[in-house]
Amino acid sequence: MATLLGSESPCTGGKRRNCNSNIVTKLTAGKIRGQGFSRGTQLPGGLLQERDKRAKWHGIPTLLQKLYESSHPNSDLSHAHSFLKVLSSQLSMEAMSFVTEDRKTAQESTFPNTYTFDLFGGVDVSWTFHFFTQKNYALNDDLVKDCLSVLYNCCICTEGVTKSLAARDDFVLFLFTLMTNKKTFLQTATLIEDILGVKKEMIQLDGIPNLSSLVQSFDQQQLANFCRILSATISEPDVGNDDKHTLLAKNAHQKRNASPSRAEVNQVTLLNIPGFIERLCKLATRKVSEATGANFLQELEDWYTWLDNALVLDALMQMASEEAEQSKLFSLHPESSDESSLATSPLRHRLPQSMKIVHEIMYKVEVLYVLCVLLMGRQRNQVHKMLAEFRLIPGLNNLFDKLIWRKYTASNHVVHGQNENCDCSPEISFKIQFLRLLQSFSDHHENKYLLLNSQELNELSAISMKANIPEVEALVNTDRSLVCDGKKGLLTRLLTVMKREPPDSSFRFWQARAVESFLRGATSYADQMFLLKRGLLEHILFCIIDSGCTSRDVLQSYFDLLGELMKFNIDAFKRFNKYVNTPEKFQTFLTQINSSLVDSNMLVRCIVLSLDRFESLTEDVKVVEVLSECCLLSYMARVENRLSFLFRLINIINVQTLTQENVSCLNTSLVILMLARRKAKLPFYLNALREKEYAEKYPGCLLNNFHNLLRFWQRHYLNKDKDSTCLENSSCIPFSYWKETVSVLLGSDRTSLCAIASYIDEPFMDLDRDLLED
C-alpha cells in the first residue's frame, strides 16, 4: 500500500499514516464482507480531503464523492461531466501505458490512480451514474464516451473490475442498447467484449432488446466489431483440463445437459436475423487496397507489437478517417489550410498506410471465425446453403493471392505453433482462420466442389469417364454458377502455397487439414486422382521422409491426409513405391509411423483396408502387379506386422483416457478384427492377444482393457448418428457389421471362439468390472 499511504513522518505523521491505513483497510474489508463502508462516498468529505495529499490519492475520492452527489434527479449534469472528465484523464494515461508498453501485472504500485479509483468505489459510482443518467436524460456523446472510458480503463488496469461488471446482467444488457449510437459504438463494443470474455455464464442473445433491428442498423465496420463480441456468445466454453476432454466426461456432460446449450441457442438467434449471413459474406470477401513497398510485413509486425488491443487500433483508424475528412475540407478552402503542418502532423507521421490493410485483416479474422463456428453447429446445412448462395468461396478465391496469401519474403517471419499460448499477429491469425473455415466447409459436405472452378470440375468428370466409373452425385449436382472464377480454384491455390511452406510451419498443419477435409467421406477415385496429378503424394512423402520435419502436429496431419489420398487407390500405392525406392527410405517412413501410433493410426487403417480390397481383385493385372511390388502392401500383408499394430493400438488407450483425438486407435483395431472376422480368422487374432499377455506376464490385462473399450464403444457410437456415418463412409464397411462384430466380441458365452471372454482365464476376468457402471 506504499504508494497510496505515502511516507510516515517522525511524529504526528505516524498517526496520519495509521488513519490512512485504517480507511483503506476498512474499505477493503467492507467490499469483502459486504458490511460497513464499501465506497468512499460514504466517508466524510472533510476527512477525505485532509488525508488526500499525504496518501497520494490525487483528489480521486473527493471527485468521486462530487460525481455521486451529481447523479441524483434534478442535478446539473454539466457539473457531473466536469468531474468525470478529470477522472477520465487521470485513468487514461495509466491505461495507455498498459496497452502500449510491455504487459504488466495489474497492481496498485503500477497503476495507483486506477487502484485508488476502484478502492473508493469508483466503478460502482460510474456504472450507477451511467446507468441512471442514460435512462433518464438525453445525454451528449462526450459524456457517454467519458463514462465508458473510465470503466474500460479500470477493466484494463485493475484486477477484478471486469468480473465485477460481468456479474451485473442488467448492466451488460444495457450496454448493448448503447451500440445504436455510432459515435459511442467503438467504446461500447470494446467494453462489452472484455466483459463477456470473463462472464461466468454465457449471455443469451435473445435477451438483448431489439437485437434484430440493432444488428440490421450496423454499418459494415460496426458489424465486423460486433463479430468480436459474438465470438464469446456462440462458441462452447473451453472445458479446461485434459481429463475433462475425455469422451467419458463429455458423454456424461451431454447426458446431464440434453437440451441445447446457450451457444447453440445463440447460433439459432443469429441465423434468424434477416440478412445477417449475407452481410458477413460480403465483409469476408470485400477487397482492400493492396499494400505497397517491400517492407510491409516488417512494418506490420512492428506496429502489431503495441497495437495488440483492438481499441487502440480502431481509435487510430477513426482518427485517420477524421484527419482525411479534415484534409478534404482544407482542399476545398485552401486559404484556411496549412499544408506543411498537415503533412507533418504526429498522426500522419506515425500511422503507416498499410495499417488500413491490418485493420481489414483483423475484421476478417472475426468474421471468418463466426462463420466457421456456425458451420460446425447444429444448423450446418442451413448455413452451408446460405454461404453457397452468397458466393463466399468464390469471393475468398478472388482475395487469395492479393490478401490471404500475398507473395512476400518470409525468411525472418516466425510462425507460432497452433497449440502455443501466444498472441499471433493478425496476418497469422487470418491465414489460420481462413484454413479452418475451408476445413469446416469441405468436411463431409457436397458443397466441397465449390472450391473448384468449372474447368477443374470438367477434369473430375474426365477422370471418372476414363476410369469407366460413374461421377459422384455431389459433383453432378454442383451449381456451376456458384463455383470459383479464374484460372485456378481455391483448392488448387491452396496446394500451391502448401508446397512452399517451411517444413515445420504451423500453416502446414492447417493446410493439410483443409485438403484432407476435401477427401473425407465416401472415397472418390476422381478426387484422389485430381490431387495425385498435382504432385500431392510426393510432397507429403517428402515432408514425412526427407524434410526433417519434427512437428508431431504437422506429421499427424500429413499421415491423415496421406491415408485419405491413398485409400483403395492402386495408382497411389504405385506412386508411393516409386518415391520410396530404397530400403532406407522405407525404414524412415516406418520409423515415423511407429514413433506415434496415435498420430499415424488412420494411415495404418487405410493400408489395412486397401490391402483387403486389392487382395479380392485377383483378376486385375495392374492390381496384382502393384501387390507384388509395393513394399508398403507387402509389409502389411505379413500377419505378424498386423498383429504388432493391433497389440499396440489396444495397449495405448483405455476408457479413462479416450478422447476425440485417440478414439481412432480403437476404431482402427476394430477394422483389423472385422477384416479378420470376414476371413474366419478372428479366433486366431484373439488367441494371439492372449499369448501376448502371457508373454508379457500380464494375463488378462490386454483383453480386459479391450473388453471395456468395446463396452464404451457401444454406448458412444450407438447414440451418435454422425459418428457412425463417418465410420461407415471412411471404411466402406456397413455400420451394421461394426455393431455385429462388437456384439460378437462382447459375447458372454465362454464357449464361443469369437468372444473375448473365452480367452481370459477365470482368475483374471473383469479386472475393471465397475468401470462403466452408472
Side-chain angles (χ1 to χ4, degrees):
M1 303 278 180
T3 55
L4 293 178
L5 305 178
S7 59
E8 181 180 344
S9 65
C11 48
T12 56
K15 294 181 180 179
R16 289 176 181 271
R17 181 184 184 280
N18 290 335
C19 187
N20 297 335
S21 178
N22 288 337
I23 292 174
V24 172
T25 302
K26 288 181 179 180
L27 283 172
T28 304
K31 287 187 175 185
I32 295 173
R33 299 169 186 164
Q35 297 177 347
F37 296 121
S38 61
R39 62 177 184 270
T41 55
Q42 296 171 311
L43 299 171
L47 177 63
L48 294 177
Q49 291 178 6
E50 179 187 349
R51 305 302 178 196
D52 187 272
K53 186 174 182 180
R54 180 173 296 276
K56 296 182 180 179
W57 290 334
H58 304 293
I60 291 175
T62 303
L63 284 168
L64 284 173
Q65 198 160 51
K66 292 178 179 179
L67 177 62
Y68 181 74
E69 292 169 354
S70 302
S71 62
H72 296 295
N74 303 319
S75 56
D76 188 345
L77 288 184
S78 62
H79 288 161
H81 192 191
S82 65
F83 304 140
L84 195 63
K85 279 198 288 188
V86 176
L87 288 167
S88 178
S89 176
Q90 288 179 304
L91 303 185
S92 293
M93 294 303 295
E94 291 183 350
M96 185 59 71
S97 69
F98 180 84
V99 171
T100 58
E101 297 176 7
D102 292 337
R103 291 291 188 256
K104 303 172 183 176
T105 303
Q107 53 188 351
E108 57 172 282
S109 59
T110 310
F111 307 111
N113 288 345
T114 316
Y115 177 81
T116 304
F117 181 85
D118 180 49
L119 177 68
F120 283 87
V123 174
D124 288 331
V125 172
S126 297
W127 90 266
T128 303
F129 169 72
H130 188 37
F131 201 1
F132 167 78
T133 53
Q134 186 72 13
K135 283 179 171 291
N136 292 276
Y137 297 93
L139 302 183
N140 67 66
D141 298 331
D142 290 336
L143 177 56
V144 176
K145 280 184 178 180
D146 284 332
C147 205
L148 290 169
S149 176
V150 165
L151 291 173
Y152 180 72
N153 292 337
C154 284
C155 289
I156 290 179
C157 297
T158 307
E159 188 176 354
V161 170
T162 315
K163 289 183 179 179
S164 174
L165 292 175
R168 296 157 169 156
D169 290 337
D170 54 347
F171 178 67
V172 176
L173 292 176
F174 164 71
L175 282 177
F176 279 92
T177 65
L178 298 182
M179 299 180 81
T180 55
N181 187 339
K182 188 171 184 178
K183 292 183 179 179
T184 60
F185 177 91
L186 185 59
Q187 289 82 357
T188 307
T190 311
L191 182 58
I192 292 174
E193 181 186 1
D194 280 13
I195 289 175
L196 295 187
V198 301
K199 192 168 175 60
K200 287 185 177 181
E201 287 192 354
M202 185 177 293
I203 191 172
Q204 289 186 272
L205 292 178
D206 56 9
I208 298 173
N210 304 313
L211 175 66
S212 181
S213 58
L214 175 68
V215 174
Q216 288 176 292
S217 71
F218 293 156
D219 59 28
Q220 289 296 77
Q221 180 174 327
Q222 290 174 314
L223 184 61
N225 273 293
F226 189 61
C227 285
R228 295 211 309 259
I229 294 172
L230 291 180
S231 63
T233 68
I234 60 175
S235 305
E236 296 295 348
D238 187 1
V239 291
N241 299 328
D242 287 342
D243 60 333
K244 294 183 179 179
H245 285 293
T246 64
L247 294 181
L248 202 62
K250 285 185 176 180
N251 288 352
H253 176 77
Q254 289 174 354
K255 190 175 181 179
R256 291 192 304 268
N257 302 276
S259 58
S261 66
R262 285 197 173 188
E264 291 170 335
V265 172
N266 285 342
Q267 291 174 24
V268 174
T269 299
L270 289 177
L271 291 174
N272 288 335
I273 297 176
F276 177 71
I277 296 297
E278 181 178 9
R279 293 186 67 193
L280 289 191
C281 289
K282 288 180 179 178
L283 259 175
T285 59
R286 73 178 180 185
K287 298 179 180 180
V288 293
S289 301
E290 198 163 352
T292 57
N295 297 323
F296 165 71
L297 184 65
Q298 186 60 49
E299 184 180 59
L300 186 155
E301 291 296 331
D302 290 344
W303 275 81
Y304 180 71
T305 56
W306 71 275
L307 283 181
D308 177 46
N309 186 273
L311 177 67
V312 179
L313 178 57
D314 283 338
L316 281 172
M317 291 306 300
Q318 188 170 313
M319 291 166 66
S321 299
E322 291 171 357
E323 185 184 275
E325 289 297 321
Q326 190 71 15
S327 178
K328 289 179 182 178
L329 289 175
F330 284 154
S331 64
L332 293 174
H333 304 283
E335 68 281 358
S336 63
S337 68
D338 184 349
E339 293 185 5
S340 60
S341 64
L342 181 65
T344 58
S345 66
L347 181 62
R348 181 63 59 87
H349 176 71
R350 296 174 60 203
L351 189 62
Q353 180 66 24
S354 57
M355 190 54 64
K356 292 181 179 179
I357 290 185
V358 186
H359 200 234
E360 184 70 15
I361 284 175
M362 291 181 72
Y363 281 160
K364 282 178 167 27
V365 169
E366 304 301 338
V367 172
L368 292 182
Y369 178 81
V370 170
L371 291 175
C372 189
V373 172
L374 294 175
L375 264 178
M376 295 187 293
R378 292 193 180 188
Q379 315 302 317
R380 186 184 187 217
N381 288 332
Q382 178 187 354
V383 177
H384 244 294
K385 183 178 180 181
M386 289 191 283
L387 296 187
E389 178 186 350
F390 301 133
R391 294 178 57 81
L392 174 69
I393 297 302
L396 292 175
N397 187 47
N398 293 334
L399 286 179
F400 190 86
D401 291 332
K402 293 182 179 179
L403 182 67
I404 301 173
W405 235 280
R406 296 186 305 282
K407 297 178 181 179
Y408 55 79
T409 302
S411 57
N412 297 321
H413 187 51
V414 179
V415 177
H416 300 295
Q418 71 278 359
N419 292 325
E420 293 178 16
N421 292 321
C422 57
D423 292 325
C424 291
S425 72
E427 184 85 3
I428 294 173
S429 299
F430 185 37
K431 285 181 169 65
I432 291 176
Q433 203 55 60
F434 163 76
L435 293 170
R436 290 185 65 191
L437 178 77
L438 290 193
Q439 178 186 354
S440 302
F441 187 86
S442 301
D443 194 20
H444 292 89
H445 203 281
E446 59 185 16
N447 275 351
K448 68 180 185 178
Y449 290 111
L450 299 182
L451 270 64
L452 309 181
N453 64 18
S454 294
Q455 184 179 348
E456 291 164 345
L457 292 178
N458 293 337
E459 184 180 340
L460 286 179
S461 300
I463 293 171
S464 298
M465 185 178 298
K466 183 178 179 180
N468 197 28
I469 56 177
E471 293 182 73
V472 294
E473 187 177 353
L475 176 60
V476 175
N477 294 335
T478 297
D479 186 343
R480 299 267 176 143
S481 68
L482 301 177
V483 301
C484 291
D485 309 312
K487 295 180 180 180
K488 292 181 180 180
L490 201 48
L491 181 63
T492 304
R493 293 184 192 276
L494 177 57
L495 289 175
T496 302
V497 299
M498 184 177 178
K499 295 177 182 179
R500 297 174 183 167
E501 288 297 324
D504 286 312
S505 166
S506 64
F507 290 142
R508 280 188 180 273
F509 172 86
W510 299 107
Q511 288 164 344
R513 283 281 178 255
V515 177
E516 182 211 347
S517 68
F518 180 81
L519 292 171
R520 291 181 70 185
T523 303
S524 166
Y525 174 80
D527 293 353
Q528 291 172 325
M529 292 307 300
F530 179 85
L531 297 174
L532 286 170
K533 288 171 64 177
R534 284 157 175 77
L536 181 59
L537 184 136
E538 289 78 9
H539 165 71
I540 297 172
L541 292 176
F542 172 80
C543 183
I544 294 173
I545 298 172
D546 299 317
S547 72
C549 177
T550 57
S551 167
R552 294 313 312 175
D553 292 314
V554 172
L555 286 172
Q556 180 188 12
S557 66
Y558 272 74
F559 283 136
D560 291 347
L561 175 54
L562 187 61
E564 292 295 336
L565 187 62
M566 295 180 68
K567 191 189 303 175
F568 305 132
N569 191 309
I570 198 68
D571 297 285
F573 280 89
K574 188 173 183 178
R575 282 175 176 256
F576 176 95
N577 215 46
K578 184 176 180 180
Y579 186 93
V580 186
N581 53 10
T582 67
E584 292 76 19
K585 278 191 172 183
F586 185 59
Q587 189 54 52
T588 301
F589 182 75
L590 288 179
T591 300
Q592 291 280 46
I593 287 180
N594 288 316
S595 63
S596 177
L597 271 183
V598 172
D599 297 331
S600 62
N601 82 89
M602 294 296 290
L603 176 59
V604 171
R605 190 191 307 183
C606 148
I607 302 167
V608 171
L609 285 165
S610 299
L611 175 65
D612 183 75
R613 170 80 63 87
F614 298 153
E615 287 178 337
S616 67
L617 302 174
T618 54
E619 296 182 2
D620 190 315
V621 177
K622 183 179 179 181
V623 172
V624 173
E625 178 186 347
V626 175
L627 268 174
S628 63
E629 295 178 354
C630 181
C631 56
L632 186 58
L633 291 172
S634 298
Y635 179 85
M636 196 60 74
R638 292 194 285 274
V639 67
E640 63 270 21
N641 291 331
R642 293 201 298 278
L643 282 171
S644 175
F645 281 121
L646 181 62
F647 297 151
R648 285 181 291 151
L649 286 167
I650 296 174
N651 204 38
I652 60 179
I653 53 175
N654 58 58
V655 172
Q656 298 99 320
T657 61
L658 272 184
T659 65
Q660 201 63 47
E661 184 76 11
N662 62 27
V663 70
S664 56
C665 294
L666 173 58
N667 290 321
T668 299
S669 65
L670 259 177
V671 166
I672 295 174
L673 292 177
M674 282 191 293
L675 298 180
R677 181 175 172 234
R678 279 182 175 177
K679 298 178 179 179
K681 292 183 178 179
L682 186 55
F684 171 80
Y685 278 76
L686 293 176
N687 189 59
L689 289 174
R690 182 179 185 276
E691 291 179 357
K692 180 70 172 178
E693 286 182 333
Y694 274 88
E696 299 288 339
K697 302 188 185 306
Y698 291 106
C701 183
L702 198 65
L703 287 170
N704 270 300
N705 182 48
F706 191 43
H707 194 274
N708 283 322
L709 286 166
L710 293 180
R711 287 163 61 198
F712 174 84
W713 188 96
Q714 283 185 321
R715 292 192 179 190
H716 182 70
Y717 283 104
L718 299 188
N719 294 316
K720 282 182 169 284
D721 293 336
K722 181 182 178 183
D723 281 345
S724 63
T725 302
C726 291
L727 290 178
E728 184 169 321
N729 287 339
S730 66
S731 64
C732 289
I733 299 174
F735 189 63
S736 58
Y737 194 76
W738 286 77
K739 292 190 294 183
E740 186 182 310
T741 301
V742 172
S743 295
V744 168
L745 287 166
L746 291 177
S748 57
D749 182 3
R750 290 178 58 82
T751 64
S752 169
L753 295 178
C754 292
I756 293 174
S758 302
Y759 297 87
I760 307 176
D761 293 336
E762 189 66 37
F764 310 111
M765 180 71 70
D766 287 334
L767 293 179
D768 296 311
R769 180 189 302 273
D770 298 326
L771 183 63
L772 297 177
E773 296 300 323
D774 290 327

